[in-house]
Amino acid sequence: MSDIEVPESHPRYQSLLTRHRIEDGVEKGITSPQGLIAQGRGEAFDYLLGERTLPSVDRAERVAAAHLLRARHPVLSVNGNVAALVPDELITLAEATGADLEVNLFNRTEERIHAIVDHLREHGACEVKGTTADERIPGLDHERAKVDADGIYDADVVLVPLEDGDRAQALAEMGKTELVIDLNPLSRSPQTAAVPIIDNVIRALPNITTHARDLADASSDQLDDVIAGFDPETVLTETERAIRTGGD
Ligand code: PTJ
């Protein structure tokens, strides 16, 4: 047994554990109530994908690791769902790639920003950005536009897990490379991302970290070779096909 009263042998163990974490996140004021709905949408796509990381997605995760290592200033954007689901994994990836962590919320409240910052600190994060919000992403009229001048605003590579749409495009228009984790290949954010990662954030983050550790000693030229020739369309097409047919 783990932190929920379900045996690990239960066929839906992982999914039930994930739901419990989101529920807990809502209770602690970390996750927005809408996060429960987002989780349900994600679960449905994951079920259809066979709850696995497809080979083309694993390649995208390696490319994402190379981008983070190659970046001048990489930032991992944190919302209420990922803070509840994968706090340790976010911190580990930030450490492996030298990335900053920045809280950026769709349903932004100062209370929730501070609750997430505290939660990440309790999990061992040293610095968490997102409280200053002294800059704006041009062209966005909602709360996600609020970013730190020395965080996402300055970043050249941003990892965005579970986005809801138009920020991906706005960040791309600012010349940033966006790496998007989202289980729905038809969603607007993976469709506009430089690197769409159609995977559950629970599998994706540790896998990107594994690739980053593997590439830790690679030269800039070697990282560029990993990135070169990557075709985002292939990932979107293959994952959509897998969802529709249940195949690879
Ligand atoms: O904490 P906030 O205020 O920033 O709000 C965050 C949510 C996620 C509630 C907000 O961004 C939202 O409403 O998002 P959407 O529009 O529901 O989109 C979430 C996307 O993430 C959907 O395409 C889901 O399929 C996908 N998704 C959900 N859970 C996971 C996921 N993708 C990867 N891993 C998951 N565990």
Side-chain angles (χ1 to χ4, degrees), residues 32 34-35 38-39 41-42 45 79-81 85 104-107 112 144 162-164 181-184 187 199-201:
S32 108
Q34 286 186 19
Q39 170 64 25
R41 287 172 66 188
F45 283 107
N79 68 14
N81 281 52
L85 289 177
N104 178 273
L105 302 180
F106 181 64
N107 306 293
R112 204 147 68 81
R144 272 219 161 111
L162 280 73
E163 179 85 25
D164 66 326
I181 302 173
D182 192 318
L183 277 158
N184 178 3
S187 177
D199 204 358
N200 196 318
V201 71

Side-chain angles (χ1 to χ4, degrees), residues 89-153:
E89 293 81 351
L90 279 166
I91 295 163
T92 309
L93 178 60
E95 282 168 2
T97 57
D100 279 338
L101 292 165
E102 177 165 340
V103 182
N104 178 273
L105 302 180
F106 181 64
N107 306 293
R108 184 186 178 102
T109 64
E110 288 312 306
E111 255 180 318
R112 204 147 68 81
I113 294 268
H114 287 288
I116 294 173
V117 169
D118 290 348
H119 175 69
L120 291 175
R121 288 218 178 105
E122 276 161 29
H123 279 263
C126 300
E127 200 200 344
V128 184
K129 295 186 190 292
T131 49
T132 320
D134 46 353
E135 266 298 353
R136 299 285 176 276
I137 300 170
L140 280 188
D141 57 7
H142 54 72
E143 293 293 291
R144 272 219 161 111
K146 295 182 178 170
V147 290
D148 282 15
D150 63 351
I152 289 175
Y153 194 80

Side-chain angles (χ1 to χ4, degrees), residues 9 13 28 35 39 45 50 62 68-69 73 76 81 91 102 123 134-135 158 166 200 203 214 224 233 241 243 245:
S9 57
Y13 174 78
K28 285 185 181 148
Q39 170 64 25
F45 283 107
R62 192 168 179 79
L68 290 168
L69 291 169
H73 183 188
L76 314 183
N81 281 52
I91 295 163
E102 177 165 340
H123 279 263
D134 46 353
E135 266 298 353
V158 187
D166 47 359
N200 196 318
R203 294 188 298 272
D214 188 46
D224 287 343
E233 271 308 313
R241 190 175 59 224
I243 285 170
T245 64

Side-chain angles (χ1 to χ4, degrees), residues 22-40:
I22 291 284
E23 227 182 301
D24 209 35
V26 174
E27 271 165 29
K28 285 185 181 148
I30 292 167
T31 309
S32 108
Q34 286 186 19
L36 294 164
I37 300 166
Q39 170 64 25

Side-chain angles (χ1 to χ4, degrees), residues 198-235:
I198 313 300
D199 204 358
N200 196 318
V201 71
I202 285 182
R203 294 188 298 272
L205 283 186
N207 207 22
I208 299 171
T209 300
T210 301
H211 283 300
R213 287 185 174 145
D214 188 46
L215 292 168
D217 296 327
S219 65
S220 300
D221 284 348
Q222 285 168 325
L223 293 175
D224 287 343
D225 283 346
V226 173
I227 294 166
F230 173 72
D231 177 19
E233 271 308 313
T234 307
V235 184

